[in-house]
Amino acid sequence: MDSFSLVIVLFAALLIPLMMARFKISALPTAVVEIITGIILGQSCLHWVSATSSLNTLSDIGVIVLLFLSGMEIDFSLFARQPASVKKASGSSPLKLASLSYISIVVLSLVIAAVFKFTGLFSDVWLAAILFATVSLGVVIATLKERELLSKPYGQTLLLIAVLGEVVPMLALTVYAAVFGNSSHSLWLIFLIFVAAAILFTRFRKFFSIFERINKSTTQLDIRLAFFLIVTLVTIAESVGAESIFGAFIAGIVLKLLQPHEDTRDKLDSFGYGLLIPIFFIMSGVTLNIPQLLSNRKTLILIPLIFIAYLLAKAIVYFILKKRFSSTNALAGNILNTATITLVLAVLKVAKSMHAVTSQQSGAFILAAIITCVLGPLAFNHFYKPEPEALHKTVVHFIGTNLSTIPVAQQLAKGAYDIKMYTDKQKNYSAYNSQVNVELLSSLETQDVVAQHVFDTDILVLGHYDAMKNYRLALAAKKMGVNRVIARFEDRNILNNSESELEEAGVEVYSTPEANISILRSLIEVPSTLQILQSTESGIYEVTVNNQRYAGTEIRNLPFIGEITISQIFRHGNFIKPSGDTAIELSDRLVFTGSKEQAPVIRAALGKLNKN
């Protein structure tokens, strides 16, 4: 019977995506369909599958892997300093909107949980508040990805709310289990998990920089590292009285911060979503006994009330989103963030082990959560209306106004760039302020530059003749969070002493003499270089491939390959010469030539951020 149940569950896991594709079921998340399938196969309906020891073990491992992969879903760039172009677009950044939204969710969850206790519906206020405050990160990501919204402020805002809706309840659950559970450990020991995570991150910080040189198909070092992190942090979490899923979640964050290659993530996804995670979701449905739940009058009343509580806990989110987005899209985003399932299952699994919730109450919370996951994406797709977001110009600030920088600034100002130049020389200000937007600074000391908001830019170009000033300001700008810093160094002797420091900080360095040498060499080796550089119809472009749609596509099969010529691909720190059968990978940087009309469209298609 044990093996028979396992065979049925694995066959169901195989059949579900095939049937969803066959009948074009795209509005429902796969996880929800898997739970519904488990309900049909389990004790609610057919009784074909029972909760055997093997399936329970695989299910337990599945939830650990699921939370590990959830930790890897967090895009930490969303918490970083916002680009200047985004700031100019709106005073409300995605991070600010998401933070306010989730604070409102926490407050309402506590209020609703108190009402449940007062009315006798559910006595544990803290557990109910944790459950009401959860948001399903997986459902939100899948829905946003399908509409290609992850790279837009709207999608980023909803994604951040979902991230907070998984991280905060996870932390709260850990504290709850430590305080109200049977553990004899002190609460402060939980911080040892963060200490261990920091040590592991520091120890393996350079892992993926040497990974390519030593990895083999028979070693799979990246996967071995992933499971080492999972087992280590799960073991530490259990040892200090925390939950295993919290350790797994932290392990996912550590691996994410190590910046693994995209194929590492693909392999982990294949293992998790190909085997263990479907077992967890199917078994969550198998263990539900719906006829028994519905036979209990109190439980029957509890299901719609919990569903309403899930909705009410996110009610204020609508008004916060409306501050930046249209009313219909604010409503769509509000409804989508009511979807919750993954963490509800994990929380209830812990609560049942602590005897903090009955089987009837657990089933009511799960059924209500399933309803939110069915209605949430459906309602989002119905209400969401694509709104034309303004094309915000990239902000570029120049420090140094001279014959090298002025022509470049003038040409960029004619395109999709917002240009501003700064100088500390009155003579240069008087000479050029009528030709381009120039501002006079009292000095180029860092504090004066910061005070004038010079670092509030997407790209900072340091074109001053004084290399030491460029060096000092470049490092200061990177510390202040400027995305790109391009610094000029004409004196090779000065650059030799600081090049490694600048590279480590992420500063891009250029030198006029070296640039001239490179151009002359290109003219000799590739005579058409001059024609490309001087052409008014074509140009040289670079784009980073973020669009999952083109991952694995051979160059000859790209839909727009007839309009461009890809000359080089920068992959994993090395340039490769592409051929027609070279497959594009995520995070590839493509250097190509093409028409100035089509290139922006092609760059937008390849660079669209929908890889998550």
Side-chain angles (χ1 to χ4, degrees), residues 80-143:
R81 180 176 180 269
Q82 289 293 317
S85 55
V86 174
K87 284 185 177 180
K88 290 187 72 174
S90 171
S92 300
S93 67
L95 178 57
K96 180 180 178 181
L97 290 172
S99 300
L100 290 173
S101 296
Y102 197 71
I103 289 171
S104 75
I105 291 173
V106 171
V107 172
L108 283 180
S109 296
L110 288 168
V111 171
I112 296 170
V115 172
F116 266 58
K117 179 178 175 61
F118 179 76
T119 55
L121 292 170
F122 191 77
S123 60
D124 196 324
V125 173
W126 300 112
L127 181 60
I130 292 172
L131 289 165
F132 294 146
T134 59
V135 180
S136 180
L137 180 61
V139 172
V140 171
I141 285 177
T143 306

Side-chain angles (χ1 to χ4, degrees), residues 521-588:
R521 177 179 173 180
S522 297
L523 286 173
I524 294 171
E525 295 179 343
V526 186
S528 59
T529 299
L530 185 61
Q531 296 177 355
I532 294 174
L533 292 175
Q534 294 180 338
S535 172
T536 58
E537 298 179 357
S538 63
I540 303 174
Y541 304 91
E542 179 180 319
V543 63
T544 299
V545 179
N546 291 321
N547 197 333
Q548 180 74 55
R549 182 178 301 172
Y550 300 106
T553 304
E554 294 182 354
I555 288 179
R556 64 162 61 91
N557 294 327
L558 290 173
F560 39 72
I561 192 59
E563 301 170 25
I564 64 172
T565 300
I566 300 175
S567 57
Q568 284 184 317
I569 299 177
F570 188 72
R571 178 182 296 167
H572 303 327
N574 299 301
F575 280 104
I576 62 174
K577 191 70 176 177
S579 60
D581 57 359
T582 300
I584 300 296
E585 294 182 7
L586 285 178
S587 301
D588 278 353

